[in-house]
Amino acid sequence: MSTAATRPAGDARPGSEDEFLVRATGVKVHFPIKRGIIFDKTVGYIYAVDGVDLSIRRGETYGLVGESGCGKSTLGRAILNLEAPTDGQVIFDGVDIASLKGETLRRKRKDIQMVFQDPMSSLDPRQSVESLLIEGMRAHGLVKDNASAHQRLRQLLSDVGLPAAALAKYPHEFSGGQRQRIGIARALSVEPKLIVADEPVSALDVSVQAQVINLLEDLQDEYGLTYLVVAHDLAVVRHISDRIGVMYLGALVEEAGADDLYEQPLHPYTRALMSAVPVPDPVVEDSRERILLTGDLPSPSNPPSGCRFHTRCPWRQDTRCDTERPQLRVVSLDGVDATHRVACHWAEGIAGGQITPHAVAAELIEQVATSAAGGSLMGPASMEEAL
């Protein structure tokens, strides 16, 4: 699969503020852990997103990858302000969307839409397709009269490859791929600038996945859209994305152009992810390096100190890794693009071969007791335990 070419960003000049549609700085989303029978008491936090900086240019597709539970979807929802950030700024089209409330936020939502992972659960089964599509248009004052509205609805369905007859049908009458097309049409109905696609093809068959991905690319060219695509399918992300960010345990660990990231991953976690992607060539598949990580993803309620990947990292060193959290930075390496950023203290040494991988023993991360009684944050597992 070839990587999508970078789309033109209108009249924005490279390096100017107008070049970027989204700028997220120091974004944190922490969910409180509460405990108590009569009065809830906050005894800890789940650090779902913990200090993320990223920028999305106008007209580009930014892919966000990582294993389940790393905070990808939460970050996407924070950019939409569906989850209010605990800290940090999300500047969308020159406005701090995290600070908007009430009617001002509602009006701004016209410019930011979302395509959800499960098309069936995101569509109201009691509404026809016509009702689903026109609801947002009416809410944002885009319906002038019935004739122009129906013309717009027919055009939307045509754009996503569905017949006009689908307007009278209900979600249960469509296949999974068709329902996802309806979800895309609903997002397009209010003429957004940014679409956050949260696992847009993970629930679909492989052949249907290709159709939906190609549809998203065609619509981007036609409408000048900007995408944030959240996914864990690395092949899909490489095909559709201009730039890719890799998340691990609530933080970005690497960011680069799609081709650069796949050709020369610098962070140990990204290298492990890439080694898990199968290659359709038996000779190459049998001879290439495979990196098998030890242990599970640590709990986001008690992340490791220092580099959050150090408990599973084959390149871990005795200094800095477990005490100092690395910052996302540009590295100075021959053949590496100047926009390639990585959060690793030893990226240059690993890439140059001075630091070699070693065996990793599974490390138990003890849950810190934060309740007054010093007990577990988890509830009882059975009635016998509760009694």
Side-chain angles (χ1 to χ4, degrees):
M1 289 185 180
S2 62
T3 306
T6 303
R7 283 85 180 176
D11 296 329
R13 299 182 303 277
S16 68
E17 286 297 321
D18 289 342
E19 179 188 4
F20 295 97
L21 182 64
V22 179
R23 279 188 179 275
T25 307
V27 175
K28 298 181 180 181
V29 182
H30 300 166
F31 298 106
I33 302 172
K34 295 183 178 294
R35 186 173 182 177
I37 298 175
I38 299 176
F39 301 104
D40 282 342
K41 179 181 179 183
T42 300
V43 297
Y45 290 92
I46 294 175
Y47 302 96
V49 178
D50 199 32
V52 170
D53 299 339
L54 66 81
S55 300
I56 305 175
R57 294 182 177 89
R58 297 175 187 272
E60 83 166 346
T61 299
Y62 189 102
L64 201 58
V65 300
E67 58 193 301
S68 297
C70 71
K72 307 184 301 295
S73 296
T74 303
L75 177 58
R77 295 173 69 87
I79 290 174
L80 290 169
N81 208 7
L82 292 178
E83 294 287 353
T86 306
D87 194 11
Q89 277 189 328
V90 179
I91 305 299
F92 173 79
D93 205 15
V95 177
D96 182 7
I97 197 169
S99 66
L100 301 182
K101 306 291 181 184
E103 181 64 17
T104 307
L105 176 60
R106 189 193 71 81
R107 289 197 302 267
K108 197 63 179 177
R109 289 202 190 282
K110 172 184 175 296
D111 295 329
I112 315 175
Q113 290 294 300
M114 190 165 190
V115 176
F116 295 91
Q117 177 176 358
D118 183 0
M120 188 60 188
S121 65
S122 65
L123 301 175
D124 188 342
R126 298 169 296 180
Q127 290 185 277
S128 66
V129 172
E130 180 178 356
S131 177
L132 286 166
L133 296 184
I134 207 168
E135 183 178 33
M137 295 168 60
R138 283 178 175 156
H140 291 286
L142 299 178
V143 176
K144 297 179 181 178
D145 55 68
N146 289 337
S148 61
H150 280 84
Q151 181 179 355
R152 171 65 173 158
L153 294 179
R154 289 192 293 271
Q155 180 62 47
L156 284 171
L157 289 185
S158 175
D159 288 342
V160 299
L162 292 176
L167 287 171
K169 296 182 179 181
Y170 289 81
H172 72 273
E173 300 181 72
F174 297 93
S175 67
Q178 289 173 325
R179 283 194 289 264
Q180 193 63 291
R181 289 170 185 264
I182 294 169
I184 294 171
R186 180 175 62 178
L188 289 174
S189 66
V190 294
E191 303 171 2
K193 298 178 181 178
L194 171 71
I195 291 181
V196 177
D198 186 7
E199 302 279 7
V201 297
S202 64
L204 307 177
D205 294 335
V206 175
S207 59
V208 181
Q209 285 184 5
Q211 296 172 15
V212 173
I213 290 170
N214 291 333
L215 171 64
L216 289 171
E217 291 182 326
D218 293 340
L219 292 172
Q220 184 174 41
D221 293 334
E222 181 176 352
Y223 288 98
L225 297 168
T226 302
Y227 289 142
L228 171 61
V229 178
V230 177
H232 57 251
D233 188 326
L234 299 174
V236 168
V237 172
R238 181 179 189 181
H239 177 71
I240 197 173
S241 300
D242 301 313
R243 288 190 301 140
I244 298 175
V246 182
M247 284 192 73
Y248 182 81
L249 207 60
L252 274 180
V253 296
E254 190 163 0
E255 181 188 73
D259 285 337
D260 295 332
L261 189 74
Y262 278 76
E263 291 172 4
Q264 193 172 6
L266 298 178
H267 195 279
Y269 177 64
T270 311
R271 293 168 68 118
L273 279 184
M274 297 305 174
S275 75
V277 179
V279 177
D281 184 331
V283 176
V284 176
E285 180 68 19
D286 291 341
S287 59
R288 72 192 184 103
E289 179 188 27
R290 289 298 305 274
I291 303 172
L292 300 178
L293 297 179
T294 302
D296 296 324
L297 186 74
S299 171
S301 64
N302 185 34
S305 61
C307 174
R308 295 189 168 180
F309 187 60
H310 82 263
T311 57
R312 305 170 69 192
C313 181
W315 287 270
R316 173 184 174 179
Q317 299 298 293
D318 293 333
T319 58
R320 301 184 72 184
C321 289
D322 59 348
T323 58
E324 182 182 340
R325 187 173 180 182
Q327 300 298 311
L328 199 63
R329 61 186 177 91
V330 176
V331 295
S332 300
L333 288 169
D334 293 337
V336 175
D337 191 84
T339 60
H340 196 143
R341 301 192 298 164
V342 59
C344 178
H345 297 303
W346 312 103
E348 292 86 350
I350 294 172
Q354 293 90 359
I355 299 176
T356 56
H358 53 75
V360 178
E363 183 174 334
L364 177 63
I365 304 297
E366 296 288 347
Q367 177 65 60
V368 178
T370 55
S371 65
S376 171
L377 297 179
M378 303 298 291
S382 64
M383 286 300 296
E384 291 79 4
E385 182 179 329
L387 297 172

